[in-house]
Each structure stands twice: as C-alpha cells, then as structure tokens.
C-alpha cells in the first residue's frame, strides 16, 4: 500500500472515531435535555393541577355533606382543571380518568408522597407517569392520588429522527473529510513522489539529476539533504570514473606504446644470442638495448605517476634557486645534445610546493622547449612572484592544438615526437602535478615564434 493511502486510511479512521464520538455525545445530551424538559413540564403541570384542585375542594368542603356528595364534588373540581392525561384516585376508586391505562398499577402513592414518576413501555408506546398524594379534608383517612399519564412516544420519535439526521450528517462529513484528506495528503506527498522519481533517474545513471522541491518543512529539508547526497554520489562516481580512466590509460599505454621498444629489445637480445657479430656491432646492440630499457623505465615512471597522483600533497617551503638548478642538472645532457642553452632567471627565494613533483613538471616543460628549439637558441627558465615560467623561441604550437596538448597521448607533431622519443604523456603529467598543487597551467604560443609555459601558484 502506498504511503498516501496509509496516511489517508489512518486519518480516515481517526476522523470516523472523532465524528462518531462527538455525534454520540451530542445526541445523548440532546436526548437527555428533551426528556428532562418533558419530565420538568409534566411535573410542573402535576403540581399546578394538585394545588388548584386541592384549593377548590377545600373551598367548597362542608362537614355536613355526605361521602357521595364529597366524591361528586371532587370529580367536579378535578374535571374543572384536568385534561385527558389526568387521573384522580380516592382510596381504591378511580374518580376521574379518560385514559385506558391504570397508573396505580405502575406507580403506587402513599399518604404523604410528593411527586413520583415512572417511565416505561406500555402497550408498545413510551409512557411517562407522574403521581402525587393530595391532602383533602373531605376524604378522611382515604388516600387521594393525582396522576398524569403522558404518552412521550413522539419525544422518542424525535430522538430517533435526530439519530438518523446525525448519522446522515456525520456520514456526509466523514465522506467529505476522507476526500479532502486523500487530496491534501496526496498533494502534500507529491514532493516525495518527485524525490522518488529523481532517485529512480539517478539509479538509471543520470547522476546530474537533482530535485527541485523547495519547501520550508521537513520535506524541503529532506530534498536539500537528498541533493547533497546526490552531489556526493556524483562526485564519488566521477572519482571512480576517473580512476577507471586512469587504469584504462595505463593498460592502453602498456599494450600500445610498449610494443615497439619491447620488440626491439627482443630482436637485439635474439641477435646477441644467436648471431656471430663483431665486437663493435655487439656494443651497438647493447647500447640500443640500454637506451630502449631506460626509455621504458622513464615511460613506466611517468605513467605510474600520472595514474597514482591522487593523494593530497604536503606543500613545504622550497628553495627556488636550488629547484631550478636541479632542473638544469637533470636536462643538461639533453640540452648539450641539442645545442640549446638553458638560462635561469630567479627572483624568488622560496615557494610552497612539492619539490620532487614540481621538478618533474619543470623538467618536462624544459625538455619540450628544448625539442621545439633549434641549435643555438636559448630556453629561459624563470621564477617570479608566484609563477614558474619556461620560455622558448621555437616552432610554437598551433592555436587549435593548445586546448588539447595536456591530453594523455596527444601529440601535435607525431613524427617529431617519435623522433625525440615522446609518447604524449609529459604534458598530461605536468597538468596533473599542477592540479595537485592547486595551481594553473597556461600556455601562450605563436607558430614560428615560440611558446611560454606558465605555472601560476596561489600566493
């Protein structure tokens, strides 16, 4: 059962109980008031009748009258004030009665009884009997009793009609209330349905989905927490995707880029084992094996750094002049072989960074600058403010390639990159190192005029 149905059912049961209890209490109070009003009016009527009758009898009473005269006088005086509901008994004789009910059978009256009552069903109808003793001089020791016999069936009929009216009104109220509850509960839970739909879309892979529920109640707070959770899930998915991409990058690089050098290594090793070669040729093969092995070592290190460079860096103050000199020592052989000069310009004493990784980044940038330069040209490695910069006057980079040069395995000029032993991982590694420092890597280049690679560290 859906939530809105459960809530509607619970509210409906509560509504039925409340309406039923309130209607029952109101009906009982109304019944009691109607009966009390009838009892009170009948009692007042009996009191008025007995007073008027006794006063008239005592006024006309004479000691010289016989018992027959006194009973006739009593009948006359009583009939003067009585209606069809009144009954007069003197002793065991019924002096006056216009009803077929004998009230003395249901309500006995003694000598000094004031008003007494009886209520019950007689002949299938609700009958109210009020009786009272009357003190008359003319009756001697006999008991004179006055009764009022009222048919209160109409009162019970009105109570029954009220019951059905209350039942009809209460049922209508319950029905209308249930409909309103269902509509209001469903409208109130619409945001939860939207949250459910959004969660379903996220489960299908649309991790950018967010709920647009905006309320100030608990549902709104739930929507805010849901969006925060979705952000965390999306971030985690992105991290896992990036990790998978890096693993794919490593596997792809191993399977694709390592094929040629491994083939060469196997070929030269086979030649050395199975071919009679001159000492000079053997030395050349060994040198080639050494070069290929070192190249593979550098390639593996670059790829592993590129893939595993995810942990937070601990940045420490580093001597910038010493860092730049370490870069110079590392690339010295490369620059001598190319006939390119490396000039260092340092205007900063210390910077907060990871020395090893930043050295690796600067080595990559300076080697690229060396590859792009011609013999006799100069590459400038400078540090100022919060910036590390490598400037060359080489062949430059086309504008349409600037946005892609940091992509893994992307090479602007594949023939030149292969000539210098590149595979397109150097700048990708530099980009990762710069990101890890919370810095920015910017390239300015003009074809045939040169390139400036700039690392802007945060102050």
């Amino acid at each position: 059962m859906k939530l809105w149905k459960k809530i509607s059912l619970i509210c409906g049961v509560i509504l039925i109980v409340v309406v039923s209890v309130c209607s029952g209490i109101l009906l009982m109070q109304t019944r009691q008031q109607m009966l009390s009003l009838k009892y009170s009016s009948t009692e007042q009527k009996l009191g008025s009748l007995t007073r008027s009758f006794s006063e008239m009898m005592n006024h006309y009473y004479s000691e010289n009258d016989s018992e027959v005269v006194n009973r006739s006088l009593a009948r006359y005086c009583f009939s003067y004030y009585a209606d069809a509901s009144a009954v007069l008994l003197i002793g065991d004789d019924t002096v006056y009665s216009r009803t077929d009910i004998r009230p003395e059978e249901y309500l006995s009256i003694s000598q000094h009884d004031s008003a007494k009552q009886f209520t019950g069903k007689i002949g299938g109808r609700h009958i109210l009997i009020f009786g009272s003793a009357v003190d008359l001089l003319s009756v001697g020791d006999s008991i004179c009793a006055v009764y009022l016999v009222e048919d209160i069936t109409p009162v019970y009929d009105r109570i029954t009609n009220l019951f059905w009216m209350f039942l009809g009104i209460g049922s209508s109220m319950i029905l209308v209330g249930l409909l309103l509850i269902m509509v209001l509960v469903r409208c109130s839970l619409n945001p939860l349905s939207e949250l459910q739909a959004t969660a379903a879309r996220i489960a299908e892979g649309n991790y950018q989905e967010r709920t647009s529920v905006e309320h100030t109640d608990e549902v709104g707070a739930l929507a805010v927490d849901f969006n925060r959770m979705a952000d965390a899930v999306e971030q985690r998915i992105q991290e896992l995707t990036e990790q998978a991409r890096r693993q794919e990058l490593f596997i792809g690089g191993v399977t694709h880029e390592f094929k040629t050098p491994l083939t060469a290594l196997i070929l030269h090793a086979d030649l050395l084992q199975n071919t009679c070669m001159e000492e000079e040729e053997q030395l050349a093969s060994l040198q080639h094996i050494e070069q290929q092995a070192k190249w593979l070592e550098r390639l593996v290190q670059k790829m592993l750094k590129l893939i595993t460079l995810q942990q937070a860096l601990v940045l420490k103050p580093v001597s910038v002049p010493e860092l730049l000199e370490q870069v110079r020592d590392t690339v010295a052989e490369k620059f001598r072989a190319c006939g390119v000069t490396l000039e260092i310009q340092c205007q900063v004493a210390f910077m907060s960074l990871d020395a090893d990784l930043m050295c690796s980044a600067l080595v990559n940038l300076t080697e690229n600058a060396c590859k792009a330069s011609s013999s006799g040209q100069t590459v400038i490695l400078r540090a100022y403010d919060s910036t590390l910069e490598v400037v060359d006057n080489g062949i430059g980079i086309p504008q349409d390639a600037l946005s892609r040069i940091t992509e893994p395995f992307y090479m602007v000029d594949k023939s030149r990159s292969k000539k210098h032993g590149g595979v397109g991982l150097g700048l990708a590694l530099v980009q990762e190192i710069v990101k890890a420092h919370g810095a920015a890597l910017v390239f300015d280049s003009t074809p045939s005029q040169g390139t400036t690679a700039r690392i802007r560290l945060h102050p």
Side-chain angles (χ1 to χ4, degrees), residues 64-135:
N64 297 323
D65 292 337
S66 64
E67 183 179 350
V68 175
V69 173
N70 286 333
R71 285 181 181 270
S72 297
L73 179 63
R75 180 179 179 81
Y76 170 74
C77 293
F78 190 78
S79 64
Y80 187 81
Y81 295 103
D83 57 15
S85 64
V87 177
L88 175 62
L89 270 72
I90 298 177
D92 294 331
D93 296 333
T94 301
V95 177
Y96 180 91
S97 177
R98 294 170 60 184
T99 177
D100 57 355
I101 297 175
R102 296 181 62 82
E104 68 274 14
E105 295 180 359
Y106 304 98
L107 185 64
S108 62
I109 301 297
S110 61
Q111 181 69 36
H112 301 290
D113 282 342
S114 56
K116 295 174 65 177
Q117 75 175 55
F118 164 82
T119 304
K121 270 195 171 185
I122 302 175
R125 301 183 67 79
H126 294 276
I127 302 299
L128 170 65
I129 300 175
F130 261 94
S132 177
V134 181
D135 187 14

Side-chain angles (χ1 to χ4, degrees), residues 255-274:
T255 56
H256 182 269
E257 295 296 332
F258 290 1
K259 182 187 296 184
T260 301
L262 286 175
T263 301
L265 286 173
I266 294 171
L267 177 61
H268 283 278
D270 184 72
L271 287 174
L272 289 173
Q273 288 179 343
N274 301 308

Side-chain angles (χ1 to χ4, degrees), residues 169-187:
I169 294 174
S171 299
S172 301
M173 291 175 59
I174 290 173
L175 181 60
V176 173
L178 285 174
L179 292 175
L180 289 175
I181 286 172
M182 291 174 65
V183 172
L184 293 176
V185 168
R186 194 159 189 179
C187 291

Side-chain angles (χ1 to χ4, degrees), residues 125-330:
R125 301 183 67 79
H126 294 276
I127 302 299
L128 170 65
I129 300 175
F130 261 94
S132 177
V134 181
D135 187 14
L136 297 177
L137 298 175
S138 60
V139 298
D141 294 333
S142 299
I143 298 174
C144 178
V146 176
Y147 292 94
L148 286 179
V149 181
E150 294 281 354
D151 185 358
I152 59 174
T153 302
V155 176
Y156 279 91
D157 290 342
R158 288 196 296 273
I159 292 174
T160 302
N161 292 334
L162 281 174
F163 169 78
W164 290 111
M165 184 180 70
F166 273 64
L167 182 62
I169 294 174
S171 299
S172 301
M173 291 175 59
I174 290 173
L175 181 60
V176 173
L178 285 174
L179 292 175
L180 289 175
I181 286 172
M182 291 174 65
V183 172
L184 293 176
V185 168
R186 194 159 189 179
C187 291
S188 299
L189 294 182
N190 276 339
L192 292 181
S193 299
E194 184 176 342
L195 280 175
Q196 180 186 10
T198 303
R201 291 193 293 270
I202 292 176
E204 292 173 357
N206 299 321
Y207 302 111
Q208 296 78 25
E209 286 286 339
R210 297 294 182 272
T211 180
S212 58
V213 176
E214 294 182 0
H215 292 274
T216 58
D217 54 10
E218 290 81 356
V219 176
L222 176 62
V224 172
D225 292 338
F226 178 87
N227 285 337
R228 290 174 57 191
M229 178 194 69
D231 291 338
V233 170
E234 183 182 11
Q235 182 179 357
R236 181 56 180 164
I237 291 296
Q238 290 176 350
E239 291 175 357
L240 293 175
T241 302
E242 178 64 17
Q243 183 178 358
R245 185 190 69 82
R246 290 171 177 275
Q247 292 175 350
E248 183 180 358
L249 175 67
F250 177 75
I251 295 172
V254 169
T255 56
H256 182 269
E257 295 296 332
F258 290 1
K259 182 187 296 184
T260 301
L262 286 175
T263 301
L265 286 173
I266 294 171
L267 177 61
H268 283 278
D270 184 72
L271 287 174
L272 289 173
Q273 288 179 343
N274 301 308
T275 305
C276 293
M277 303 174 62
E278 297 292 335
E279 183 178 352
E280 185 177 347
E281 292 176 342
Q282 291 178 357
L283 182 60
S285 291
L286 290 172
Q287 289 177 347
H288 190 77
I289 289 175
E290 182 183 12
Q291 291 173 358
Q292 293 295 319
K294 289 182 177 179
W295 182 80
L296 277 176
E297 181 184 15
R298 292 195 305 272
L299 189 59
V300 169
Q301 289 176 351
K302 288 184 178 182
M303 294 190 71
L304 288 177
K305 287 181 180 179
L306 184 64
I307 293 166
T308 60
L309 190 60
Q310 294 298 303
Q311 66 275 15
L313 297 182
V314 179
L315 305 182
K316 299 179 180 179
V318 174
S319 172
V320 179
E322 291 181 3
L323 174 64
L324 300 186
E325 287 299 328
Q326 182 180 354
V327 174
R328 184 204 295 273
D329 294 340
T330 303

Side-chain angles (χ1 to χ4, degrees), residues 302 360-361 364-365 368 405 409 423-431:
K302 288 184 178 182
S360 176
N364 274 281
L365 292 177
N368 285 345
I405 58 176
F409 300 110
V423 294
L425 287 175
L427 291 181
L429 177 61
V430 172
Q431 179 75 308

